[in-house]
Amino acid sequence: MAGNEWINGYLEAILDAGNSRNGLRVVEDGDEKSNSKNNGNRRRRFVENKMRIGRLEEREKEKEREKEEKVFNPTKYFVEEVVNSFDESDLHRTWIKKQIAWDDANRLTRRRLEREQGRHDAADDLSELSEGEKEKGDATQTEPVKEQITRINSDMQIWSDEDKSRRLYIILISIHGLVRGENMELGRDSDTGGQANLRQIEGKGVKYVVELARALANTKGVYRVDLLTRQITSPEVDSSYGEPIEMLSCPSDGGGSCGAYIIRIPCGPRDRYIPKESLWPYIPEFVDGALGHIVNMARALGEEGDAGKPTWPYVIHGHYADAGEVAANLSGALNVPMVLTGHSLGRNKFEQLLKQGRLSREDINSTYKIMRRIEAEEMGLDAAEMVVTSTRQEIEEQWGLYDGFDLQLERKLRVRRRRGVSCFGRNMPRMVVIPPGMDFSYVKMQDSEGDGDLKSLIGSDKTQNKRHLPPIWSEIMRFFTNPHKPMILALSRPDPKKNVTTLLKAFGECRQLRELANLTLILGNRDDIEEMSNSSSVVLTTVLKLIDKYDLYGQVAYPKHHKQSEVPEIYRLAAKTKGVFINPALVEPFGLTLIEAAAYGLPVVATKNGGPVDIIKALNNGLLVDPHDQKGIADALLKLLADKNLWFERRKNGLKNIRRFSWPEHCRNYLSHVEHCRNRHPNTHLRIIPSIEEPMSDSLRDVEDLSLKVSVDGDFKLNGELDAATRQKKLIETLTRIASSNGSSSVSYHPGRRQGLFVIAADCYDGNGDCTERLPAVVKNVMKSTSSGSGRIGFVLLTGLSLQEIIEKLTRYQVNLEEIDALVCNSGSEIYYPWKDLEADLEYEAHVEYRWPGENVRSIVMRLARGEGGAEDDIVEYTGLCSSRCYSYTVKPGAKTRKIDDLRQRMRMRGFRCNIVYTHATSRLNVVPLHASRAQALRYLSVRWGIDLCKMVVFVGEKGDTDYDYLLVGLHKTVILRGLVEYGSAQLLRNEESFKREDIIPTDSPNITFLEEGYEALDISATLMTLGIK
């Protein structure tokens, strides 16, 4: 009985205990070897005196040893806990918690060991050659020129006046939540417990992105900023979230800026609001829609100011995990540098939820889609040139948890690049600390000079003067017996991590502090504590009990309500009393309230854990404390409050240095870092070929332009010997002759001139991994399914086969290759054009070379892909099919090989950024560049040929290679041909801890349809009719 495993474990433990009492149990060799000498003696005594197993002293020592080793032994647990009067009512619950903790500990241990092994592997390679002169002389280890470009270093130049003449187009992306320019709704999603607080934090992050867009648009040199988000037309939300475009800032009068805009892209169901946890399957739709917008805008901006050349984005910046995945895909499709800001990270949240012990790993994953989120963040690390963080703590303690980032390895790689030494194909994104910007226009001169206190403001007639005071002042002062004393101000959520109770204890136990100052606690808004979340109600109840315990009535204010607009007045009140602001949080990721307090002239005391370290270092306006040290907290507050000279000095420093956190300063730092991290130049690679959608007779007036757009068949060839007039005359004659010979005035559509594309991506293999005759059959039938001779529909074949293999298979079954516009081979790493004598697309090869490790990864793949206990020949290189952008490996039947998730994890830990695909029914492994894939190849052709993705139809089977799922999603239509594909590779895709397939593919997509029986041309035509395609 699987559901009673804990009972079985209980019984086994009792039997084991009985055997040991009968002298049948012996100590395992591994246990004997693992103990110290003293523990070994104790173990021998334990064996010799089996009847003393229940002694308390022995049991406690054993518990301590197990605690130190963090290993859970079910047998010992049941013998020690159950046999010795354990409360059986809690038995099952405790067993489950212990088992979860044990499993998680094992997982973390395995992952930590793998990370260490990856670090050692990288260190071994990087130590082989340490001098640039030796490396440059090694012809076998040379890397592309891009690897030699210096990234951010100590010589970085701040954004200067010379840069202000540029016309930069910047893309920001934030897709979850509700995004608009004014009156944003923070924490819109309903939730319970601590997660509601997380929603508010993420809502503030969305507000930050909106303010960043405005600030960048106001920076000289930036021409246009687009903030891409999701369009929501649901009646559940305000209609403003359904507007396609919203202006955030007006264009400048001088024409130097086009302004900032919110661009809302439709994705997913239109009739309801989708929480971020349910948004993952619709991300490919957002990517495709965003790609269309960017391409159209690039064309428009280019025609306006760059002689018709597309103005590609200067950078694509994703905010949060979901937008990070969007940015990674757009970066790969457009060859534009990417920047990532995580804000709140999935691995950090996952560990916190596990520590709470309320939910199992599986429950956490199903509720929060946490593994899908973590993979999106890993994808962002793969593609990002730069990761923007608010603090160093975020780098070390949060990003350091990810497979794709290792601080030590990143530093080594940066040093080697600076010296011009090879990095052996390894890459790490650069982490950059840029604190969020703030608007300090509200800081008035009297605040900067402020010297009055409440006594002078109130005067003798309190009733008369109260009308001139902000209402929140009266609300706070009513708590105090003596409102003239300096105020210690704490402002936070009622969250245990904010550590307000320790502050209250420090205040209550320090008589000098109580006599010198009042304490104000602004802990959110409440009506009834009992109706609040459990964690919040516990904090507030504890606060009230401590006030009573230390008899702090008349000395502590704890108002029930305040408006967000009143927060500035609260800071001003504390400053007028010559008070101090304190943030005693156990860990503070950034500490925005510290900057706000400094802007109002308040010195600060803050936790030494996290962002406050960087803030106080920059502002020099306060003191750092250990949040666990009550006396230290009290001493720091006394020091600032009792020494008025020190108080004024720190106040002055804060007001003087606060501009370091202003939006103009933030934007200058941001653009400087982006400029120095750019190592790709998309304009040199990605060109758009304008389409022709009008009859030839009407377009002859633009024949000079047509000569650049159309490939002309016949005996006419352009050459430099003809003058313009003769060339135009010859071109008109040739085009007219072609039109006459066709007997129609309609344009002859050539590849790149299509109105739509039919894409065959069926992975038809037999059990041995050989391509079957079903593939050429379905290619023929798809071609027959459309109107013959129209030329309006083109055909593309996406396959994991090599070029040689696909040519052999198609020619054997008499498929006319010239009717196919493009062959995308080797899992999306190569594109060939049969109508151009199978010419390779060299621009695509350059397009996908980003972070391609090349020869450096070739031999490592076999070692990393081989599973535990696998044989040497389980996976071997298929030398005859390897190319410059694809390394192929043969997998022996029944071989022990790692799944895609595990292999990709190990490659990331070693700094290798690749795309990995099992194909040929798991008998082959293709390793290709990071941004090379069949799905990305379609996006590339969409941009190059000017064909919207929504005008493409992709034909697939019910299963396929390990990249199959990504062919089903997006704006294109997908036709699944049932019974076409017998064998797939999905069993080698995900491990047990990964996300589920439903997190990739939407269950309600109107773009996916099935062809139930057969795949003949008539069947396909009928299915296309149901999709509205004639």
Side-chain angles (χ1 to χ4, degrees):
M1 296 172 61
N4 292 326
E5 289 179 357
W6 67 278
I7 297 178
N8 296 333
Y10 169 84
L11 295 175
E12 289 175 4
I14 297 299
L15 290 174
D16 287 345
N19 289 337
S20 71
R21 289 189 174 93
N22 292 326
L24 299 177
R25 187 181 178 191
V26 296
V27 179
E28 294 181 5
D29 292 341
D31 291 338
E32 182 72 25
K33 293 178 181 178
S34 66
N35 290 330
S36 64
K37 183 177 180 180
N38 291 335
N39 284 339
N41 292 333
R42 179 163 53 81
R43 178 64 69 181
R44 284 192 294 274
R45 289 197 303 271
F46 176 79
V47 174
E48 295 169 355
N49 303 284
K50 299 179 183 64
M51 299 303 295
R52 299 179 180 178
I53 190 172
R55 291 177 55 187
L56 178 61
E57 181 179 353
E58 289 294 322
R59 185 169 67 252
E60 290 178 348
K61 289 182 179 179
E62 191 70 6
K63 285 183 182 179
E64 287 298 320
R65 189 182 69 81
E66 289 186 5
K67 182 178 180 181
E68 292 174 2
E69 295 179 357
K70 296 183 179 178
V71 175
F72 173 59
N73 187 311
T75 300
K76 292 177 182 177
Y77 169 73
F78 278 108
V79 170
E80 295 171 355
E81 299 293 341
V82 178
V83 175
N84 293 279
S85 302
F86 185 78
D87 184 358
E88 295 187 9
S89 64
D90 292 333
L91 177 60
H92 181 253
R93 181 171 65 252
T94 308
W95 162 263
I96 293 298
K97 286 186 177 181
K98 291 273 188 178
Q99 191 70 43
I100 291 173
W102 182 38
D103 292 342
D104 290 337
N106 286 337
R107 289 189 183 98
L108 290 174
T109 299
R110 290 196 300 270
R111 188 168 178 272
R112 183 169 59 250
L113 291 174
E114 184 58 40
R115 283 174 63 88
E116 288 297 325
Q117 184 61 51
R119 184 182 292 118
H120 288 319
D121 289 350
D124 289 344
D125 282 350
L126 296 178
S127 63
E128 289 181 9
L129 291 174
S130 58
E131 298 182 10
E133 292 76 14
K134 291 175 64 178
E135 184 62 32
K136 292 175 183 177
D138 189 350
T140 65
Q141 295 292 345
T142 56
E143 293 183 322
V145 176
K146 292 181 185 293
E147 290 289 326
Q148 305 295 333
I149 295 179
T150 302
R151 302 176 73 192
I152 305 171
N153 54 45
S154 57
D155 299 326
M156 185 189 70
Q157 300 295 318
I158 297 299
W159 193 252
S160 65
D161 291 339
E162 296 178 359
D163 298 310
K164 295 179 181 178
S165 60
R166 303 169 68 174
R167 290 167 51 90
L168 304 183
Y169 176 35
I170 294 176
I171 297 292
L172 306 178
I173 309 172
S174 180
I175 70 173
H176 72 254
L178 299 173
V179 181
R180 62 183 177 188
E182 303 293 340
N183 302 318
M184 278 178 287
E185 303 175 52
L186 307 186
R188 166 63 171 79
D189 291 340
S190 61
D191 213 324
T192 59
Q195 293 308 310
N197 294 330
L198 182 59
R199 302 293 186 190
Q200 294 177 2
I201 295 171
E202 294 178 343
K204 292 179 181 179
V206 172
K207 181 181 179 182
Y208 157 77
V209 180
V210 171
E211 293 175 348
L212 173 62
R214 284 196 180 103
L216 284 171
N218 292 329
T219 303
K220 299 295 183 181
V222 177
Y223 186 67
R224 181 182 173 105
V225 179
D226 282 347
L227 170 53
L228 308 186
T229 190
R230 181 167 46 111
Q231 185 182 38
I232 306 170
T233 56
S234 167
E236 302 173 63
V237 301
D238 190 83
S239 60
S240 60
Y241 298 111
E243 294 295 329
I245 301 176
E246 179 183 344
M247 180 182 290
L248 288 177
S249 65
C250 300
S252 61
D253 295 335
S257 172
C258 181
Y261 301 85
I262 295 176
I263 307 297
R264 297 187 175 91
I265 308 293
C267 76
R270 307 292 191 266
D271 59 344
R272 69 178 189 271
Y273 177 80
I274 307 173
K276 68 171 187 173
E277 289 83 5
S278 304
L279 191 60
W280 295 108
Y282 307 107
I283 281 182
E285 291 183 32
F286 189 93
V287 173
D288 292 349
L291 182 64
H293 166 78
I294 293 172
V295 170
N296 291 334
M297 186 55 60
R299 283 172 165 168
L301 294 177
E303 292 173 359
E304 179 181 330
D306 202 8
K309 186 178 181 181
T311 300
W312 296 114
Y314 179 69
V315 67
I316 297 176
H317 188 163
H319 294 265
Y320 295 100
D322 42 17
E325 180 173 328
V326 173
N329 281 285
L330 291 175
S331 172
L334 296 171
N335 207 20
V336 172
M338 172 197 165
V339 172
L340 173 65
T341 300
H343 295 283
S344 63
L345 300 183
R347 282 203 188 276
N348 189 54
K349 177 179 178 180
F350 189 33
E351 289 199 354
Q352 290 179 4
L353 290 171
L354 283 175
K355 287 178 182 178
Q356 291 177 3
R358 299 172 186 167
L359 297 173
S360 67
R361 172 182 290 264
E362 292 73 21
D363 290 337
I364 294 171
N365 197 18
S366 61
T367 303
Y368 301 106
K369 309 296 182 184
I370 202 74
M371 301 312 296
R372 182 68 179 86
R373 173 177 175 175
I374 289 172
E375 177 57 26
E377 289 161 342
E378 294 281 11
M379 289 175 63
L381 287 175
D382 286 340
E385 278 295 325
M386 182 175 81
V387 177
V388 177
T389 70
S390 299
T391 66
R392 290 182 178 86
Q393 179 264 350
E394 183 181 343
I395 299 174
E396 298 168 0
E397 299 182 17
Q398 296 186 47
W399 283 117
L401 299 172
Y402 285 76
D403 301 329
F405 179 75
D406 182 271
L407 185 59
Q408 296 179 23
L409 182 55
E410 190 275 331
R411 287 172 176 169
K412 287 182 180 179
L413 295 177
R414 186 161 21 116
V415 170
R416 294 177 73 87
R417 285 196 179 91
R418 191 180 302 167
R419 296 170 52 201
V421 180
S422 172
C423 293
F424 293 91
R426 290 174 164 84
N427 283 279
M428 285 282 168
R430 178 69 192 277
M431 297 281 171
V432 177
V433 178
I434 308 178
M438 293 185 62
D439 179 14
F440 298 118
S441 60
Y442 55 79
V443 180
K444 302 177 182 178
M445 185 59 64
Q446 59 264 32
D447 288 326
S448 300
E449 300 174 353
D451 57 353
D453 57 20
L454 284 181
K455 185 175 181 179
S456 61
L457 288 174
I458 296 175
S460 57
D461 189 348
K462 297 181 180 180
T463 304
Q464 181 180 355
N465 286 278
K466 269 191 175 183
R467 70 186 64 175
H468 302 296
L469 297 178
I472 191 64
W473 286 19
S474 301
E475 175 64 19
I476 291 173
M477 287 189 294
R478 71 181 179 86
F479 284 88
F480 299 135
T481 303
N482 182 1
H484 305 286
K485 290 195 296 185
M487 178 192 297
I488 301 169
L489 172 64
L491 190 154
S492 70
R493 306 186 309 274
D495 188 315
K497 296 189 292 291
K498 295 303 179 181
N499 201 32
V500 176
T501 54
T502 301
L503 167 63
L504 198 51
K505 290 176 184 177
F507 183 78
E509 294 178 8
C510 182
R511 181 180 56 81
Q512 289 179 282
L513 195 57
R514 295 198 310 270
E515 292 175 353
L516 181 62
N518 293 321
L519 175 61
T520 297
L521 303 176
I522 306 297
L523 303 175
N525 290 283
R526 64 185 184 278
D527 289 317
D528 187 343
I529 293 179
E530 292 184 355
E531 295 179 357
M532 301 181 72
S533 66
N534 183 60
S535 60
S536 297
S537 64
V538 168
V539 170
L540 290 167
T541 302
T542 304
V543 165
L544 296 178
K545 288 181 178 179
L546 289 173
I547 290 173
D548 188 74
K549 174 182 178 180
Y550 295 111
D551 194 15
L552 299 178
Y553 299 105
Q555 298 178 350
V556 178
Y558 42 97
K560 295 184 66 171
H561 298 98
H562 72 280
K563 300 176 183 176
Q564 186 63 32
S565 59
E566 292 177 320
V567 171
E569 298 298 339
I570 297 174
Y571 286 125
R572 288 187 63 236
L573 174 62
K576 293 296 184 183
T577 65
K578 294 184 173 58
V580 172
F581 180 81
I582 181 168
N583 181 338
L586 298 176
V587 177
E588 181 58 65
F590 179 61
L592 194 62
T593 53
L594 297 174
I595 301 175
E596 294 175 344
Y600 288 97
L602 270 175
V604 301
V605 172
T607 176
K608 68 176 184 178
N609 299 329
V613 176
D614 297 323
I615 293 174
I616 291 184
K617 181 179 179 181
L619 297 179
N620 191 23
N621 73 325
L623 303 173
L624 295 172
V625 295
D626 181 347
H628 300 283
D629 184 359
Q630 291 179 204
K631 187 176 184 304
I633 292 173
D635 290 345
L637 290 169
L638 275 173
K639 185 175 181 179
L640 285 175
L641 291 169
D643 188 341
K644 292 305 178 184
N645 291 331
L646 179 62
W647 188 91
F648 277 108
E649 176 190 336
R650 296 303 168 93
R651 168 189 168 89
K652 181 180 178 182
N653 290 342
L655 291 170
K656 179 179 68 175
N657 297 323
I658 196 66
R659 300 295 171 181
R660 296 185 182 184
F661 295 92
S662 66
W663 276 117
E665 186 69 19
H666 177 93
C667 291
R668 279 193 293 270
N669 288 335
Y670 175 84
L671 292 172
S672 300
H673 283 294
V674 171
E675 175 65 21
H676 285 80
C677 82
R678 283 171 52 92
N679 68 349
R680 294 187 292 173
H681 305 284
N683 291 6
T684 61
H685 294 321
L686 190 56
R687 295 182 295 113
I688 300 175
I689 305 174
S691 60
I692 307 169
E693 298 182 356
E694 52 197 311
M696 185 181 300
S697 58
D698 294 334
S699 63
L700 290 180
R701 63 180 182 272
D702 299 322
V703 70
E704 188 66 32
D705 186 46
L706 278 176
S707 66
L708 302 175
K709 297 180 181 178
V710 184
S711 300
V712 180
D713 296 329
D715 56 3
F716 174 74
K717 296 181 179 179
L718 295 176
N719 59 70
E721 298 177 359
L722 299 177
D723 58 27
T726 305
R727 185 170 71 250
Q728 179 169 324
K729 180 180 178 182
K730 290 284 187 182
L731 181 59
I732 293 175
E733 291 174 354
T734 301
L735 293 175
T736 304
R737 184 172 69 253
I738 293 173
S740 301
S741 64
N742 289 337
S744 172
S745 62
S746 63
V747 66
S748 177
Y749 284 84
H750 292 267
R753 308 290 90 70
R754 309 296 193 188
Q755 287 187 347
L757 287 179
F758 285 179
V759 182
I760 301 97
D763 303 318
C764 302
Y765 304 109
D766 60 20
N768 297 320
D770 297 322
C771 184
T772 68
E773 69 278 3
R774 292 184 177 184
L775 178 61
V778 78
V779 170
K780 286 182 178 180
N781 291 336
V782 168
M783 289 180 173
K784 292 177 183 177
S785 67
T786 185
S787 302
S788 59
S790 68
R792 296 177 180 272
I793 299 296
F795 304 98
V796 175
L797 180 60
L798 303 180
T799 180
L801 296 163
S802 66
L803 178 64
Q804 302 95 301
E805 290 173 317
I806 193 61
I807 291 176
E808 178 184 350
K809 181 60 66 174
L810 294 182
T811 53
R812 180 187 302 177
Y813 290 90
Q814 299 179 345
V815 176
N816 184 2
L817 288 175
E818 293 184 358
E819 294 183 13
I820 299 176
D821 290 0
L823 294 174
V824 181
C825 303
N826 282 334
S827 302
S829 61
E830 301 162 6
I831 297 179
Y832 299 92
Y833 301 113
W835 53 277
K836 296 175 69 175
D837 297 326
L838 287 172
E839 177 181 303
D841 191 332
L842 299 181
E843 291 189 9
Y844 181 71
E845 289 190 13
H847 188 84
V848 300
E849 73 175 349
Y850 176 62
R851 291 190 170 173
W852 174 233
E855 293 289 333
N856 298 289
V857 79
R858 194 165 188 166
S859 61
I860 293 177
V861 170
M862 291 183 287
R863 174 166 57 85
L864 296 182
R866 194 177 298 120
E868 295 181 7
E872 288 290 331
D873 62 345
D874 276 355
I875 178 168
V876 296
E877 185 177 342
Y878 198 152
T879 309
L881 295 182
C882 291
S883 65
S884 63
R885 294 292 182 272
C886 177
Y887 296 137
S888 294
Y889 304 85
T890 300
V891 180
K892 188 173 68 175
K896 295 180 179 180
T897 56
R898 298 192 188 277
K899 296 183 178 182
I900 290 293
D901 282 350
D902 297 327
L903 178 53
R904 184 165 48 215
Q905 179 191 54
R906 283 160 174 77
M907 294 186 73
R908 281 170 173 162
M909 288 176 174
R910 289 157 177 81
F912 293 119
R913 315 291 178 172
C914 302
N915 186 20
I916 315 160
V917 182
Y918 278 109
T919 179
H920 290 67
T922 73
S923 67
R924 187 179 300 175
L925 175 67
N926 285 343
V927 179
V928 300
L930 175 66
H931 288 314
S933 71
R934 292 193 284 180
Q936 286 290 73
L938 278 187
R939 292 184 176 119
Y940 171 85
L941 292 176
S942 169
V943 175
R944 286 296 310 273
W945 290 353
I947 302 176
D948 290 340
L949 285 159
C950 62
K951 296 180 180 179
M952 297 184 184
V953 182
V954 178
F955 296 87
V956 297
E958 290 180 89
K959 59 187 73 172
D961 299 347
T962 52
D963 62 349
Y964 168 83
D965 290 349
Y966 293 96
L967 296 172
L968 306 183
V969 290
L971 289 181
H972 63 259
K973 304 292 189 297
T974 301
V975 177
I976 299 177
L977 306 175
R978 293 192 187 277
L980 176 65
V981 176
E982 261 188 277
Y983 299 93
S985 302
Q987 61 267 36
L988 290 180
L989 176 55
R990 299 187 182 96
N991 58 36
E992 296 178 356
E993 300 175 13
S994 183
F995 53 88
K996 307 301 180 184
R997 193 166 184 253
E998 55 265 28
D999 298 332
I1000 291 287
I1001 304 172
T1003 57
D1004 55 353
S1005 174
N1007 293 331
I1008 300 177
T1009 189
F1010 291 85
L1011 180 54
E1012 298 293 341
E1013 297 180 3
Y1015 46 89
E1016 297 298 326
L1018 291 177
D1019 300 323
I1020 294 173
S1021 295
T1023 301
L1024 293 174
M1025 291 289 289
T1026 65
L1027 293 173
I1029 301 172
K1030 299 180 180 180

